[in-house]
Amino acid sequence: MGTWSTEILGNDESMDLYSVFERMYFKKTVLEQIKKEIREKFLLFDKNGIPILIDNSNNWLAYTQICWECSCLDEINFITTEQIVNEQIDLNDYEDEGRTKRMQVLQSFLKQIKKKAKKKTIPKRFELIPNIKEGDCIAFKYENDLYGGAICLDIRYGREDYPINSYLLAITRIQQKTKPTIHDFLD
């Protein structure tokens, strides 16, 4: 695990959980479904439904943080976070100065989650889909004011986890003063 600060999201573990939750939230997955999957994936509870806190406090704090930001904080989040702070469960991960700073961060966090959060906004997603098909010829102008050309050889459509399309273009040897025509590409 990499720790780089005393902040709630100041380590690899907490950022992993936070990022997974956030990605699902931005895809507009139902909040209860997100919470269920996160609790299972990051082992927040044991088989008897009791919160696992020892060696898992970073995950619990990140879970509480993102639930608070998404306005889906429930009582178990608050009780568990309060227990982590009051029992100083995760302070052993820090050296002297870090312990003091971490405790201040945790106490401040506890006060913060008592207040109602402004619900995290889901950014608008859009895909820029150029109107290019395989076999299309594309003319462009170089910096030296000569025209060049490219041909679209293949389009690789994005996946759900990486929704960006990629285009395989072949640059031609065309370099001329006028915009190339289809005959220039064929030559």
Side-chain angles (χ1 to χ4, degrees):
M1 176 187 92
T3 300
W4 55 86
S5 81
T6 57
E7 298 302 313
I8 299 300
L9 301 176
N11 59 70
D12 292 338
E13 268 186 310
S14 56
M15 281 304 298
D16 287 346
L17 184 145
Y18 187 91
S19 298
V20 170
F21 191 114
E22 188 177 53
R23 269 195 306 272
M24 293 172 72
Y25 180 74
F26 287 166
K27 289 181 182 176
K28 299 182 180 179
T29 307
V30 176
L31 280 169
E32 288 308 312
Q33 178 64 31
I34 298 172
K35 290 169 73 173
K36 180 180 182 293
E37 286 185 36
I38 293 294
R39 289 189 298 253
E40 290 171 4
K41 181 175 182 164
F42 291 91
L43 303 172
L44 296 180
F45 293 93
D46 67 13
K47 62 183 176 189
N48 298 321
I50 298 170
I52 301 171
L53 302 179
I54 304 300
D55 296 328
N56 207 20
S57 59
N58 287 322
N59 284 334
W60 264 105
L61 295 169
Y63 180 65
T64 299
Q65 170 86 31
I66 190 74
C67 285
W68 180 75
E69 289 175 6
C70 296
S71 296
C72 64
L73 190 67
D74 50 35
E75 195 167 334
I76 192 72
N77 293 96
F78 186 77
I79 291 169
T80 304
T81 302
E82 199 170 43
Q83 185 178 354
I84 290 168
V85 174
N86 292 339
E87 294 178 17
Q88 302 180 356
I89 289 177
D90 82 337
L91 293 184
N92 291 334
D93 295 342
Y94 300 89
E95 297 193 11
D96 295 336
E97 286 180 28
R99 277 192 195 115
T100 304
K101 181 128 172 75
R102 177 67 169 182
M103 193 60 194
Q104 291 170 345
V105 167
L106 293 175
Q107 289 172 338
S108 176
F109 180 60
L110 200 54
K111 288 177 188 173
Q112 174 187 341
I113 63 172
K114 289 179 182 179
K115 300 174 188 167
K116 186 174 176 151
K118 181 181 173 194
K119 192 169 185 173
K120 189 175 194 75
T121 56
I122 298 174
K124 292 182 181 177
R125 286 189 56 183
F126 69 92
E127 280 186 53
L128 178 60
I129 304 172
N131 193 14
I132 300 173
K133 299 181 290 294
E134 286 181 32
D136 282 356
C137 299
I138 304 158
F140 56 87
K141 200 171 197 177
Y142 288 109
E143 288 180 359
N144 63 3
D145 286 334
L146 294 177
Y147 285 93
I151 301 170
C152 181
L153 300 177
D154 188 26
I155 301 172
R156 300 207 175 114
Y157 296 97
R159 307 176 310 260
E160 185 174 325
D161 61 329
Y162 188 74
I164 297 172
N165 297 336
S166 60
Y167 300 88
L168 179 60
L169 302 175
I171 306 297
T172 65
R173 293 185 184 180
I174 298 173
Q175 283 201 8
Q176 58 191 43
K177 290 184 181 179
T178 59
K179 194 181 284 187
T181 65
I182 191 68
H183 297 297
D184 295 319
F185 280 95
L186 292 173
D187 286 342

